Amino acid sequence: MLRGSRGQLWGKLHIDPPLVGGVLMLCAIGLVVLFSASDQSTDIVIKQGARMGLGLGLMVAVAQLSPARLARWAPALYLVGTGLLVLTAVIGTGRGAHRWLDFGFLRFQPSEIMKLATPLTVAWFLRDKLLPPRLPVIATALVLVALPAALIAEQPDLGTAILVAAAGLFVLFFAGISWRFIGLAVAAGVALAPIAWYSMHGYQRQRVLTMLDPAADPLGTGYHIIQAAIAVGSGGWSGKGWLNGTQSHLEFLPEHATDFIFAVYCEEFGLIGVLVLLSAYLLVLVRGVTIALGAQDSFGRLMAASLTFTLFTYVFVNMGMVLGQLPVVGVPLPLISYGGTSLVTLLTSLGILMSIQTHRRYLANA
Amino acid sequence: MSFGRRLREPARDTQVFVKRIAIASIGMVTLVAVLLSRLVYLQLVNHDHFTTLAQENRLKVLPIPPTRGLIYSGDGVLLADNRASFSLEVVPEKAGDLNAAVTQLQQLLPLGPELLARLKTEVRARRRFDSIALKDNLTEQEVAIFSVNRHRFPGFSIAGRLTRYYPLGAQMVSAVGYVGRISEEELKRTDNRIDTSNYSATTHIGKEGVERSYEAQLHGEVGYQQVEVNAQGRILRVVESQPPIPGRNLYLSIDSRLQGEAIKTLNGQKGAIVAIEPATGSVLAFVSNPAFDPNDFVNGISATAYNALRESPDRPLFNRALLGLYPPGSTVKPVMAAGALEYGLRDRGDQTWCPGWLQLPGVTHKYRCWQKAGHGGVDLLRSIAESCDVYYYSLARDMGIERMHELLTGFGLGRVTGIDLPGELAGLVPSREWKRRVRKLPWFPGETLINGIGQGFMLTTPLQLAQMAAILANRGRVVVPHMVREFENPQDGHREALTPVERPTVPIVKPDTWAAVIEGMHEVVQGERGTARATALGATYQYAGKTGTAQLFTIAQDKRIKVQDVTKHLRDHALFVSFAPLDRPELALGIIVENGESGSHTAAPIARTLFDFYFAIRRPNDASG
């Protein structure tokens, strides 16, 4: 009874305790590592903590909205986001790549909007279609995915483009498109790979080459990968201890508070720490899968599954990059890396998950 | 009110979706396994390897160069010093656009036009965050100019270090030599002259002279500092350090005063003077004239200046004392005379008739004496004192080239003396075997004759002539000439003397031989008819000598002789070997004055001056006598 009433209370607040528990655990780990990775800067930790607070608030706020409402807003969000992407291409700022829109009081990356808007819109589009989708439907959905992905890749921000595309394509995958189509798509991808290779920017190509053989240019592009491997490897089983990582504190490890923070974590907390971190992610991911399986309409199912596996994609791409298994693309480690925009986007997406979970009962009862 | 399509076929839809979720989950688990396997590989399997790499990253060993040993003369004058100098250095990683910065700097300081090209290669050849020297030996003004503009050039700095300096300059270069920048070639050499780790902080190395031959003692041992650095190469703290061990100071046997006086006596003429203390082999003077200022070479001489030195017909870069090959001429006659007595070919009183020439049977060619009128009947003493060529033609004929070769080699000719200087030449004492091997020709009897008066194929260095004089002075004892007398440990002042090295004594056993030969040499300077009798007038001591004249055409000298100089350059070289005092010799001399024409007129007076000078400084109280 008590359990039930408590569950009802969380339900009324539209909060999913297991999900929030996992998120808080990751945020806590994130702040602890960040303190070390930022050379013990309390300023940075407080700043990041504030962003987390903002993100968590947004997460809870989004959870209050019903999935139906989210779906209705999706096309508008998509149009605004795409429009801003076009605008960014024209007047955007940023070092080397045009990723930022600067409104004076507000500076953000429109590509972040598309991380959510793309899967939302595809799921919205598929909500009343016969599943598995037929070819014209698939084609339309692919256009919806490809447009923002192409705009973002053009910035160029390959990492985000891949993640945006992945989020949209996951929706299609979970909608049950046929394996034959997936097979064809993969084959086409392989066939187009050379074209993609030649359309890449020089530095992007270099990153792929570097991943394949970091030792070829140890002081240049291979430097990140080699130094990250040294950090991770020297951490060993139990790590060097919090605040004791030499690779990050002596600045051998580049981007050690942002994209490469996982290397700092591995160096200081070792394999044991990594297992703890992966467990926290798995808690969130398993909960996401559970929510997806429990969702009662196709929009909820597709959204929940897509967001969950997109989160996993983030984790895998970042860790794979730090461990030298994937090319260096600018993908942060969710909830751990220092940085505001992706953190807020991510927590918002988890809010959508909670919305899908906590609005279920009413849907079922209606 | 539900949103979206109601699940029309809930069971089938759900089945497809669950299957997809299952497949995606399997994919997720697989990828997590991939990550974990990589983590195990890095963190468990290769943990030790990466720990080592992390340590190497963190800790940097900074080598500290040892202070090079100083070089002093026998009379305590500093010959090679270390002076503080300033050089402009850059760490390219910190400099931003290096080329632009250097171009800007060139407007402030004279850095030389080839600098950018040199930088390009040096930037690649060095370790990350190591500095590169742009210019050495900055003047105080240059240091000031840079300091004022320093803020404009991040990554550039002024470094103080010790640079070799030779206070006496050209005066000592033939003995002391000089240091220069270590070349790639020297680093790569396989004879282990350079232990690269010991030289990791060293920029200069001995190139010539004592600086080169005693490199190992002068250099010392590198020290190091193990420091913790960050990725920018900034030193955070010193973990461990080991101070360098300075190189040992050298005390040469050379007397700077005698050396200076010897140069003075040459009076600008080309030539070489080597003075040896017969009892010990200590080299007291080692002059090659003209010479060059070694200080120009320490930090690299400009191409123009170097070419000027190299192209000069006076060949200042050529160390005549060590490398100059000259026919010994009549200076070998005392040795030949010793052989005559020892081999029983002549007795002291045996007379040889000199009509002014000698002819070999069946040959029309006349081998002429320098005294065209002839000396008449000449005994051994007179043959030395008056340098009768016919006496020695006849003696050489009787001795034969093989015995001559053995005899002259015993006096150190035709082989290296073993002096502690690099690159010494052996000269040449011919033999049948040599001529067959090198010239591919048989030996002709006439060649024996002219080699008997030190002409023909024979070649000796001034050093060998001095050693020959020392052997005569020692009555056969052979001491290897040496430059360095003592090592000094600069840390505790402990001195260690080098023991003179002796070689087998010249195999001349008849007791009267030395007396006769030395008496003959005494007659040269202090006899009634000696060839150099004029020079010994008024000497307060007895001494011995032998004049010689070397015909120039046998010397492969500079081919770029200017037309107007031909006559001067064709004059004979004047030679003189000598030692004094007669009974207890203290100084043996080998003197060559190029194009000096006559040993008795040009070279012999130099010996007299040097003896007077040396005895005056050795026994100041007797100087008035």
Side-chain angles (χ1 to χ4, degrees):
Chain A
M1 276 307 288
L2 191 69
R3 204 182 142 77
S5 67
R6 190 178 287 173
Q8 276 179 350
L9 174 67
W10 289 125
K12 275 179 189 160
L13 291 172
H14 297 288
I15 283 173
D16 183 57
L19 195 68
V20 171
V23 167
L24 289 177
M25 211 169 130
L26 287 168
C27 285
I29 292 174
L31 290 179
V32 168
V33 192
L34 185 61
F35 184 66
S36 176
S38 65
D39 294 327
Q40 308 177 28
S41 158
T42 32
D43 284 355
I44 283 183
V45 171
I46 287 171
K47 201 170 163 191
Q48 182 76 350
R51 285 168 177 166
M52 281 177 179
L54 179 76
L56 288 167
L58 206 57
M59 175 171 97
V60 173
V62 168
Q64 309 305 316
L65 306 171
S66 74
R69 188 175 298 214
L70 290 172
R72 273 197 298 276
W73 288 358
L77 194 65
Y78 182 90
L79 288 175
V80 169
T82 310
L84 288 177
L85 277 179
V86 173
L87 197 63
T88 312
V90 182
I91 60 159
T93 58
R95 287 174 303 176
H98 288 181
R99 296 176 187 176
W100 296 83
L101 264 188
D102 199 338
F103 293 113
F105 62 98
L106 184 65
R107 224 170 79 95
F108 75 108
Q109 300 185 32
S111 53
E112 288 297 323
I113 297 179
M114 297 317 289
K115 282 184 183 171
L116 293 178
T118 307
L120 276 172
T121 307
V122 176
W124 164 80
F125 176 66
L126 294 176
R127 76 194 184 285
D128 53 358
K129 303 289 185 293
L130 189 68
L131 297 183
R134 286 166 209 285
L135 200 59
V137 175
I138 295 175
T140 315
L142 283 179
V143 171
L144 287 175
V145 175
L147 180 64
L151 282 169
I152 295 167
E154 197 49 40
Q155 285 182 346
D157 185 353
L158 200 58
T160 309
I162 287 169
L163 289 170
V164 167
L169 293 175
F170 273 133
V171 177
L172 274 173
F173 174 76
F174 290 114
I177 54 170
S178 72
W179 287 106
R180 202 190 309 166
F181 186 85
I182 294 173
L184 276 173
V186 170
V190 171
L192 290 176
I195 297 173
W197 175 255
Y198 285 109
S199 65
M200 273 193 212
H201 286 253
Y203 81 93
Q204 291 171 331
R205 257 183 253 168
Q206 188 58 49
R207 283 178 178 179
V208 175
L209 291 177
T210 302
M211 177 198 64
L212 298 176
D213 183 15
D217 186 9
L219 296 180
T221 49
Y223 185 71
H224 288 214
I225 291 180
I226 289 171
Q227 294 301 333
I230 293 173
V232 173
S234 62
W237 175 247
S238 55
K240 295 176 185 171
W242 189 47
L243 305 180
N244 286 334
T246 55
Q247 284 291 101
S248 54
H249 292 289
L250 302 176
E251 295 162 48
F252 289 103
L253 197 58
E255 306 287 338
H256 53 263
T258 53
D259 290 354
F260 278 79
I261 199 167
F262 182 57
V264 178
Y265 186 82
C266 289
E267 187 183 17
E268 298 194 348
F269 299 99
L271 190 54
I272 295 175
V274 174
L275 292 175
V276 170
L277 180 68
L278 281 176
S279 305
Y281 277 123
L282 283 179
L283 176 64
V284 174
L285 291 168
V286 168
R287 187 61 191 161
V289 169
T290 316
I291 291 172
L293 289 172
Q296 287 169 329
D297 57 32
S298 50
F299 177 79
R301 272 184 179 176
L302 298 180
M303 254 338 267
S306 167
L307 292 176
T308 303
F309 283 93
T310 305
L311 172 68
F312 172 72
T313 308
Y314 269 74
V315 174
F316 178 74
V317 169
N318 179 273
M319 290 187 177
M321 165 183 95
V322 170
L323 298 178
Q325 294 171 308
L326 293 174
V328 175
V329 287
V331 174
L333 185 62
L335 303 177
I336 309 286
S337 284
Y338 179 67
T341 32
S342 69
L343 178 78
V344 170
T345 316
L346 204 85
L347 286 169
T348 308
S349 79
L350 294 174
I352 297 174
L353 268 184
M354 290 209 298
S355 156
I356 292 164
Q357 171 72 356
T358 56
H359 287 84
R360 192 174 50 145
R361 242 163 267 143
Y362 310 112
L363 281 169
N365 296 342
Chain B
M1 177 57 203
S2 95
F3 176 77
R5 188 174 64 94
R6 292 295 294 193
L7 304 173
R8 270 173 298 198
E9 293 170 86
R12 189 178 166 274
D13 268 21
T14 307
Q15 205 189 347
V16 171
F17 182 68
V18 169
K19 229 161 116 186
R20 287 289 158 103
I21 288 278
I23 289 164
S25 300
I26 289 168
M28 184 166 89
V29 170
T30 311
L31 292 178
V32 168
V34 169
L35 289 177
L36 280 176
S37 65
R38 176 72 174 170
L39 280 161
V40 167
Y41 173 79
L42 291 176
Q43 296 197 292
L44 301 186
V45 179
N46 285 317
H47 172 56
D48 291 344
H49 171 64
F50 285 112
T51 302
T52 311
L53 290 182
Q55 287 292 330
E56 283 174 6
N57 254 347
R58 180 171 77 88
L59 298 176
K60 192 172 171 183
V61 174
L62 297 180
I64 309 169
T67 308
R68 196 172 174 86
L70 304 175
I71 301 177
Y72 293 94
S73 71
D75 52 329
V77 173
L78 187 55
L79 304 181
D81 192 8
N82 299 314
R83 290 201 171 174
S85 80
F86 297 98
S87 49
L88 181 62
E89 297 188 342
V90 63
V91 176
E93 277 80 3
K94 300 182 189 167
D97 186 347
L98 186 62
N99 285 356
V102 169
T103 312
Q104 275 193 317
L105 257 178
Q106 275 171 330
Q107 292 161 5
L108 293 174
L109 301 171
L111 295 176
E114 318 100 32
L115 180 68
L116 275 175
R118 176 168 76 88
L119 270 184
K120 214 171 189 177
T121 52
E122 285 196 22
V123 167
R124 288 161 181 273
R126 113 224 107 100
R127 287 167 295 195
R128 229 170 118 87
F129 291 109
D130 275 1
S131 60
I132 297 174
L134 297 177
K135 187 178 196 311
D136 293 313
N137 275 340
L138 296 177
T139 63
E140 278 181 34
Q141 195 189 4
E142 286 167 335
V143 171
I145 290 173
F146 176 77
S147 301
V148 171
N149 292 285
R150 185 183 190 135
H151 61 278
R152 287 168 54 199
F153 302 102
F156 290 75
S157 60
I158 302 251
R161 57 160 56 107
L162 293 174
T163 299
R164 205 63 156 168
Y165 178 71
Y166 302 100
L168 298 191
Q171 186 179 325
M172 284 294 174
V173 69
S174 50
V176 173
Y178 57 90
V179 297
R181 287 195 171 278
I182 302 176
S183 68
E184 284 292 311
E185 200 183 308
E186 281 164 324
L187 281 172
K188 284 183 198 144
R189 273 168 56 166
T190 48
D191 59 3
N192 284 333
R193 195 155 88 89
I194 295 184
D195 167 6
T196 39
S197 66
N198 196 25
Y199 277 75
S200 48
T202 308
T203 54
H204 287 68
I205 190 167
K207 299 278 186 185
E208 294 287 346
V210 166
E211 288 273 32
R212 176 164 174 169
S213 48
Y214 287 91
E215 177 63 31
Q217 288 78 12
L218 287 165
H219 180 265
E221 280 171 45
V222 70
Y224 67 87
Q225 256 189 337
Q226 197 175 40
V227 294
E228 187 172 84
V229 295
N230 66 9
Q232 278 72 54
R234 203 172 58 232
I235 295 168
L236 303 178
R237 68 192 173 95
V238 176
V239 180
E240 204 186 321
S241 72
Q242 161 104 47
I245 299 171
R248 289 201 273 180
N249 296 337
L250 299 187
Y251 283 83
L252 304 191
S253 48
I254 283 205
D255 188 301
S256 70
R257 298 163 294 182
L258 187 65
Q259 175 90 355
E261 184 67 16
I263 293 170
K264 214 164 82 185
T265 56
L266 277 172
N267 196 23
Q269 299 173 95
K270 288 179 286 175
I273 299 174
V274 177
I276 295 176
E277 186 175 64
T280 59
S282 291
V283 176
L284 298 170
F286 199 80
V287 170
S288 172
N289 203 54
F292 57 96
D293 187 349
N295 292 307
D296 295 341
F297 283 75
V298 172
N299 283 306
I301 186 168
S302 75
T304 344
Y306 180 68
N307 281 336
L309 283 174
R310 209 183 46 165
E311 306 286 326
S312 163
D314 289 344
R315 305 181 75 197
L317 297 177
F318 181 54
N319 191 344
R320 293 169 164 79
L322 193 66
L323 308 171
L325 293 177
Y326 304 86
S330 302
T331 59
V332 298
K333 284 175 182 168
V335 176
M336 290 293 292
L341 296 172
E342 186 64 20
Y343 295 140
L345 301 170
R346 299 282 186 280
D347 279 334
R348 181 175 164 150
D350 287 354
Q351 299 242 336
T352 298
W353 183 257
C354 169
W357 46 268
L358 184 108
Q359 252 179 325
L360 286 175
V363 181
T364 50
H365 180 77
K366 285 181 176 175
Y367 293 91
R368 297 195 177 276
C369 188
W370 67 271
Q371 182 66 267
K372 287 187 184 121
H375 288 96
V378 177
D379 66 2
L380 186 120
L381 255 60
R382 239 191 106 195
S383 78
I384 298 174
E386 296 182 36
S387 202
C388 174
D389 291 336
V390 168
Y391 185 92
Y392 289 96
Y393 291 145
S394 136
L395 173 60
R397 185 190 58 202
D398 296 348
M399 196 181 290
I401 187 63
E402 294 313 321
R403 275 195 288 188
M404 274 169 61
H405 179 265
E406 187 191 29
L407 176 70
L408 292 164
T409 308
F411 278 81
L413 304 184
R415 58 177 187 170
V416 292
T417 63
I419 193 174
D420 45 355
L421 288 177
E424 181 193 0
L425 292 183
L428 178 64
V429 173
S431 65
R432 267 179 226 281
E433 189 274 326
W434 166 82
K435 197 176 176 202
R436 199 169 47 239
R437 181 165 47 82
V438 178
R439 295 285 173 94
K440 313 261 187 262
L441 285 171
W443 187 263
F444 300 118
E447 290 167 343
T448 309
L449 266 57
I450 55 169
N451 278 287
I453 61 161
Q455 306 283 0
F457 300 116
M458 282 185 69
L459 291 172
T460 55
T461 64
L463 173 64
Q464 284 174 326
L465 292 179
Q467 190 195 30
M468 183 177 78
I471 293 168
L472 288 164
N474 283 340
R475 281 122 176 115
R477 196 164 69 87
V478 181
V479 181
V480 173
H482 60 89
M483 283 287 172
V484 174
R485 203 180 56 195
E486 276 180 322
F487 294 136
E488 183 188 40
N489 182 333
Q491 286 172 312
D492 56 16
H494 176 77
R495 289 213 194 179
E496 179 192 333
L498 271 78
T499 41
V501 179
E502 288 202 32
R503 283 186 173 175
T505 300
V506 176
I508 284 183
V509 291
K510 292 187 181 169
D512 295 338
T513 303
W514 293 115
V517 170
I518 289 168
E519 204 182 326
M521 290 177 75
H522 184 212
E523 293 271 312
V524 170
V525 286
Q526 283 162 326
E528 279 173 22
R529 286 188 284 188
T531 49
R533 65 190 177 280
T535 61
L537 292 174
T540 56
Y541 47 86
Q542 305 290 304
Y543 70 107
K546 182 69 195 81
T547 55
T549 303
Q551 287 164 16
L552 183 79
F553 60 86
T554 52
I555 305 164
Q557 268 285 341
D558 201 327
K559 289 182 182 107
R560 264 180 283 250
I561 297 171
K562 290 180 189 157
V563 178
Q564 64 265 36
D565 291 342
V566 164
T567 46
K568 189 187 169 193
H569 278 261
L570 281 177
R571 289 182 203 156
D572 291 344
H573 294 333
L575 285 73
F576 195 61
V577 295
S578 183
F579 61 87
L582 208 55
D583 45 351
R584 293 173 65 93
E586 291 175 33
L587 195 61
L589 292 170
I591 298 167
I592 284 184
V593 180
E594 284 186 20
N595 317 115
E597 269 184 305
S598 146
S600 42
H601 290 108
T602 319
I606 289 175
R608 169 70 196 279
T609 310
L610 291 180
F611 287 137
D612 284 352
F613 182 84
Y614 185 64
F615 297 142
I617 58 173
R618 280 289 291 258
R619 293 185 286 271
N621 298 336
D622 301 352
S624 55

